[in-house]
């Protein structure tokens, strides 16, 4: 099952719209850099999307969501498919686009605007600067002094998130609460 969910301007009649196609998307991927902001929202190819409704989850079970837009012109594309060949072709084209100097420069500009992750700036769902890319917070929490002592941890305020590679990361806030002493640590 493949469902193209956006329409694009008709090249023959630019005032009207037609359903998007694989050919339209591949053509623009060859010609124009993608907008790297879409890395923050699933990185163009999402093999395991989390659907907001049970109806969509049932309809698109086992499907990959492919979506994005371009930096210099508007061609918002969005499709859902379980076709391995289509997923492979579009994934390869997206990776080639992301390897271009234009995309990398745009990505660097985007990353340079991301805030540093601190306890004061932390908001679940927001993206923050992270080595080599970004991390999006999924959880902010505080451990008890007993947990800190049991695990030889100094900082109490902590975070978890998903990085630009889709990996779960977590650490303590350097500006968060701390144990007043380490004398009760269990080593």
């Amino acid at each position: 099952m493949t469902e193209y969910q956006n329409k694009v301007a008709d090249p023959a009649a630019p005032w009207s719209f037609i359903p998007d196609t694989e050919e339209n998307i591949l053509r623009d991927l060859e010609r124009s850099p993608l907008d790297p902001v879409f890395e923050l929202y699933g990185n163009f190819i999402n093999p395991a999307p989390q659907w907001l409704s049970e109806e969509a989850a049932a309809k698109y079970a086992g499907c990959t969501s492919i979506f994005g837009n371009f930096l210099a012109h508007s061609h918002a594309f969005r499709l859902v498919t379980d076709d391995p060949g289509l997923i492979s072709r579009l994934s390869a084209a997206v990776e080639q686009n992301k390897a271009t100097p234009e995309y990398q420069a745009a990505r660097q500009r985007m990353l340079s605007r991301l805030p540093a992750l601190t306890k004061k700036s932390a908001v679940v769902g927001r993206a923050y600067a992270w080595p080599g890319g970004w991390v999006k917070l999924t959880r902010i929490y505080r451990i008890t002094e007993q947990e800190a002592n049991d695990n030889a941890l100094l900082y109490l305020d902590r975070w978890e998130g998903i990085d630009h590679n889709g990996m779960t990361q977590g650490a303590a806030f350097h500006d968060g609460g701390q144990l007043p002493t380490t004398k009760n640590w269990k080593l």
Side-chain angles (χ1 to χ4, degrees):
M1 186 269 297
T2 298
E3 184 178 302
Y4 290 88
Q5 299 179 325
N6 283 357
K7 294 183 182 260
V8 295
D10 183 345
W15 57 87
S16 64
F17 290 88
I18 59 174
D20 208 355
T21 64
E22 176 184 358
E23 293 76 23
N24 291 343
I25 297 167
L26 288 172
R27 181 192 66 236
D28 282 350
L29 284 168
E30 288 177 7
R31 296 179 181 174
S32 302
L34 287 163
D35 184 343
V37 76
F38 286 89
E39 283 190 29
L40 303 174
Y41 304 103
N43 207 10
F44 305 103
I45 311 291
N46 186 346
Q50 294 181 357
W51 305 104
L52 297 179
S53 74
E54 289 182 26
E55 181 182 331
K59 179 178 179 180
Y60 301 123
C63 288
T64 294
S65 175
I66 302 172
F67 62 95
N69 204 338
F70 294 88
L71 192 60
H73 77 281
S74 184
H75 172 183
F77 58 93
R78 182 172 180 202
L79 63 122
V80 178
T81 186
D82 60 0
D83 179 342
L86 179 59
I87 295 167
S88 178
R89 289 187 299 276
L90 288 174
S91 295
V94 164
E95 289 307 312
Q96 286 177 336
N97 189 291
K98 289 171 62 178
T100 64
E102 297 83 6
Y103 180 88
Q104 290 301 313
R107 183 178 192 268
Q108 199 54 41
R109 284 190 303 275
M110 177 195 74
L111 294 176
S112 71
R113 291 186 221 125
L114 291 177
L117 178 55
T118 65
K119 172 79 169 128
K120 186 176 179 180
S121 70
V123 176
V124 170
R126 288 205 181 147
Y128 296 87
W130 183 252
W134 51 267
V135 65
K136 187 178 283 189
L137 289 190
T138 57
R139 181 177 175 218
I140 299 170
Y141 62 102
R142 183 178 180 100
I143 61 173
T144 66
E145 287 190 14
Q146 185 63 48
E147 290 173 301
N149 283 319
D150 289 348
N151 294 290
L153 300 171
L154 181 62
Y155 293 95
L156 302 174
D157 294 306
R158 311 184 80 71
W159 61 269
E160 289 178 0
I162 305 295
D163 72 12
H164 55 279
N165 292 314
M167 303 294 295
T168 300
Q169 302 292 341
F173 288 107
H174 70 280
D175 62 337
Q178 297 180 33
L179 286 176
T181 179
T182 60
K183 73 178 183 177
N184 296 320
W185 277 9
K186 296 181 182 172
L187 300 175

